[in-house]
Amino acid sequence: QVQLVESGGGLVQAGGSLRLSCAASGRTFSSYAMGWFRQAPGKEREFVAAINWSGVYTTYADSVKGRVTISRDNAKNTVSLQMNSLKPEDTAVYYCAARQARGAYAPDRIDEYPDWGQGTQVTVSS
């Protein structure tokens, strides 16, 4: 199991940028695939982006493709989500998630991830 703590959320105007970070505990971070999900008020939690253990393979939701970049630093036990050209519909609580997995594995399903952070709020004003 790995403990995850998100940071970097906040209030930003439409068209602006934010960089979310997720710090993971433990010495085996490099053996984990990592994902970002979000949940808007009254809506189901949805996939945003995922990255495999090495950082070579990434996947993105269609709604954020071209505006969002996921990356990781295994030496620092962190995964980041750079979000540009933000829209009001990006407003949500953003969660970091982890799954122990090697290979070209960057899952986009919520039930693939057993470990979750507490989330960080992102609010985009119009």
Side-chain angles (χ1 to χ4, degrees), residues 49-66:
I51 190 166
N52 81 317
W53 71 275
S54 66
V56 171
Y57 298 99
T58 57
T59 59
Y60 295 93
D62 288 343
S63 59
V64 302
K65 202 170 292 184

Side-chain angles (χ1 to χ4, degrees), residues 17-89:
S17 298
L18 276 177
R19 186 177 181 86
L20 306 183
S21 293
C22 174
S25 66
R27 292 178 288 179
T28 60
F29 177 72
S30 61
S31 65
Y32 283 80
M34 302 296 296
W36 283 97
F37 293 77
R38 67 186 182 186
Q39 188 165 16
K43 294 190 176 181
E44 305 251 326
R45 192 169 298 190
E46 64 177 9
F47 170 72
V48 177
I51 190 166
N52 81 317
W53 71 275
S54 66
V56 171
Y57 298 99
T58 57
T59 59
Y60 295 93
D62 288 343
S63 59
V64 302
K65 202 170 292 184
R67 300 188 295 120
V68 166
T69 303
I70 188 171
S71 60
R72 67 187 296 158
D73 185 338
N74 286 344
K76 296 182 179 179
N77 282 16
T78 59
V79 60
S80 298
L81 190 72
Q82 177 66 44
M83 303 190 293
N84 301 322
S85 302
L86 283 162
K87 306 175 182 179
E89 51 264 44

